[in-house]
Amino acid sequence: MHPRNLYNQPPDFLALANSHPPLLPYIVQTANGPTIDFKSQDALRHLTQALLYKDFSLNVQLPVDRLCPPIPNRLNYILWIQDILDPFHSAPAIAVRGIDIGTGASCIYPLLGCRMSPSWKFIATEIDPLSFECASVNVASNELHSRIHLHKALHHEPILSPLLGSDTFDFTMCNPPFYSSREEIEKSTLEKEFSPSAVCTGADTEMITPGGESAFVRRMVTESLTYRTKCRWFTSMLGKLSSLTDVVNSLRENNVENYAITELVQGQTRRWAIGWSFGDERLPDSVSRISNQSLHGLMPPHNTIRQPLGSADGAVALQKLRQALSATEGIIATQERTDPDRVTIGLAATGNTWSRAARRKKLKAPSGDTSQRTTSPPVALMCQVTLSHELEFNWVRGRDRALFESFCNHISRKVASKPSS
Ligand code: SAH
């Protein structure tokens, strides 16, 4: 469960049912106290409605023959999107525009997203007429029509059709139809028959797509190649590990190395989410990677590099860091923050000025030669250096991985070096 997830502690089911009486008949007593019957579709629907009302002031209709979204899991995905958009929790809230592909009858992601992030706006697509109608009612009854625009998707359109227009977006999100056929659903239901997991109330139209979720998301990857600059981050949830492998392979085949993976865990259920970008924003490993050994081969390259400081004195290390930064020409410190146990410095560089080759070239250049440059060169690297018991570099922006790694090596060597006598 995401650390900011409200449901890290299970709810008080009895208090919840008292505040939403339709849930009361589904309360069951166990040795661990009151809970609800997770095998009952009605109980799950009332639980979702009760949580949305109590914790998010949302009034939501959920038709009996459409998917009932489990809130903790949906919240996990939204929280990860928040992390992707502002990985260092530093930016002031500016307008953020998202697209939810296949919003469902509940319209769950846009509703939750708008309640959690006051600056978010959505275009939500839906192909199933019944779900589309119900989603419209849910948007209207929560007075969110100025922030959530519903788009009726058509089979012959691209999945990412809202990107056909001139608008640009910050993210796309999607909980794709999961299965490839009715037979696959039946096989999976049979396998789960004796497991304690919750029942699934989805209709065939929302659960089945040709080739299953893997094909759906790979289609999104292919489409995103056309809309590269129209959206900062493309993302999707995935329910099967094999789909995650397929999508990572598809990204790698298309030379997309700027991607991120997270695990969404709720009780017994494990899902994954994947995001990819054609921009130069880089995410820290804490957002882009999970430390699950069995998934190691699927992870994106590291954007966080750590250098232990051993027994080095913190104050001396900080002094050396400052010296190294001020002695490296072309590095600009953009901001600094001091916390009780760490100092974080934001840095920008226009290129490699620290390598031996760069310094030699500079020495050879006639003094005062600015090569007729009238404007300063663009920033090629932005990173954050944090000094605590270790030195941590987080890549923030840039396209040149070798430049980032070379910078980390240069500063690490300077900070770890013994003082010259
Ligand atoms: N987002 C909701 C519903 C997910 S189920 C939730 O998380 O609970 C997947 C949804 O995608 C279904 O509602 C289905 O009707 C819709 N869908 C399937 N293909 C689509 C397409 N090409 N464009 C838009 N929606 C689609």
Side-chain angles (χ1 to χ4, degrees), residues 212-255:
E213 59 169 8
S214 163
F216 196 87
V217 181
R218 280 183 290 127
R219 226 177 103 194
M220 283 205 282
V221 170
T222 308
E223 289 182 13
S224 71
L225 300 170
T226 317
Y227 307 123
R228 316 178 159 241
T229 55
K230 291 265 184 84
C231 183
R232 281 166 63 196
W233 287 96
F234 298 88
T235 78
S236 183
M237 186 154 115
L238 290 164
K240 286 187 242 173
L241 193 50
S242 61
S243 312
L244 185 65
T245 307
D246 292 346
V247 175
V248 168
N249 286 339
S250 166
L251 290 172
R252 287 177 177 167
E253 279 159 20
N254 288 295
N255 299 317

Side-chain angles (χ1 to χ4, degrees), residues 67-70 74 100-109 125-128 131 153-155 157-159 174-177 205-209 216 219 237:
L67 213 75
C68 168
R74 300 305 193 262
D100 179 29
I101 301 292
T103 201
S106 58
C107 197
I108 189 67
Y109 288 125
T125 75
E126 180 48 58
I127 210 160
D128 169 42
S131 293
L154 302 169
H155 281 285
E157 277 183 336
I159 297 175
C174 176
N175 177 11
T205 49
E206 57 186 341
M207 300 212 303
I208 299 173
T209 187
F216 196 87
R219 226 177 103 194
M237 186 154 115

Side-chain angles (χ1 to χ4, degrees), residues 37-101:
D37 176 6
F38 281 94
K39 291 228 167 207
S40 154
Q41 298 190 11
D42 288 339
L44 291 179
R45 216 171 34 257
H46 289 305
L47 174 64
T48 287
Q49 286 170 325
L51 291 175
L52 287 174
Y53 185 71
K54 175 179 153 286
D55 296 326
F56 299 95
S57 310
L58 287 167
N59 262 308
V60 176
Q61 269 194 20
L62 299 168
V64 287
D65 51 357
R66 289 295 180 273
L67 213 75
C68 168
I71 302 308
N73 161 283
R74 300 305 193 262
L75 210 49
N76 272 339
Y77 187 6
I78 296 264
L79 290 164
W80 188 60
I81 301 265
Q82 285 184 339
D83 291 344
I84 286 184
L85 297 179
D86 185 12
F88 300 103
H89 311 293
S90 53
I94 47 160
V96 168
R97 296 168 55 89
I99 299 174
D100 179 29
I101 301 292

Side-chain angles (χ1 to χ4, degrees), residues 326-377:
S326 60
T328 313
E329 207 179 303
I331 300 283
I332 308 146
T334 53
Q335 47 175 267
E336 182 166 329
R337 202 181 63 230
T338 304
D339 295 311
D341 58 342
R342 60 191 53 223
V343 176
T344 305
I345 306 176
L347 299 165
T350 54
N352 187 333
T353 50
W354 50 85
S355 70
R356 208 166 275 163
R359 281 180 284 137
R360 248 197 320 264
K361 194 167 154 203
K362 177 153 194 311
L363 280 178
K364 277 196 191 147
S367 64
D369 177 16
T370 51
S371 303
Q372 294 126 33
R373 195 174 269 138
T374 50
T375 52
S376 40

Side-chain angles (χ1 to χ4, degrees), residues 286-404:
S286 56
V287 177
S288 65
R289 295 173 57 103
I290 39 175
S291 55
N292 180 336
Q293 263 309 314
S294 60
L295 302 183
H296 189 74
L298 298 178
M299 289 302 128
H302 286 279
N303 293 337
T304 301
I305 294 180
R306 293 199 175 85
Q307 172 76 39
L309 290 175
S311 57
D313 180 325
V316 174
L318 182 59
Q319 195 187 5
K320 282 184 176 180
L321 174 63
R322 288 198 201 289
Q323 268 168 9
L325 293 175
S326 60
T328 313
E329 207 179 303
I331 300 283
I332 308 146
T334 53
Q335 47 175 267
E336 182 166 329
R337 202 181 63 230
T338 304
D339 295 311
D341 58 342
R342 60 191 53 223
V343 176
T344 305
I345 306 176
L347 299 165
T350 54
N352 187 333
T353 50
W354 50 85
S355 70
R356 208 166 275 163
R359 281 180 284 137
R360 248 197 320 264
K361 194 167 154 203
K362 177 153 194 311
L363 280 178
K364 277 196 191 147
S367 64
D369 177 16
T370 51
S371 303
Q372 294 126 33
R373 195 174 269 138
T374 50
T375 52
S376 40
V379 167
L381 168 70
M382 279 176 75
C383 77
Q384 244 190 25
V385 185
T386 303
L387 182 77
S388 57
H389 62 284
E390 62 181 4
L391 201 51
E392 182 183 290
F393 298 89
N394 278 299
W395 195 8
V396 177
R397 255 177 200 277
R399 296 197 180 271
D400 185 348
R401 177 168 294 280
L403 183 69
F404 168 62

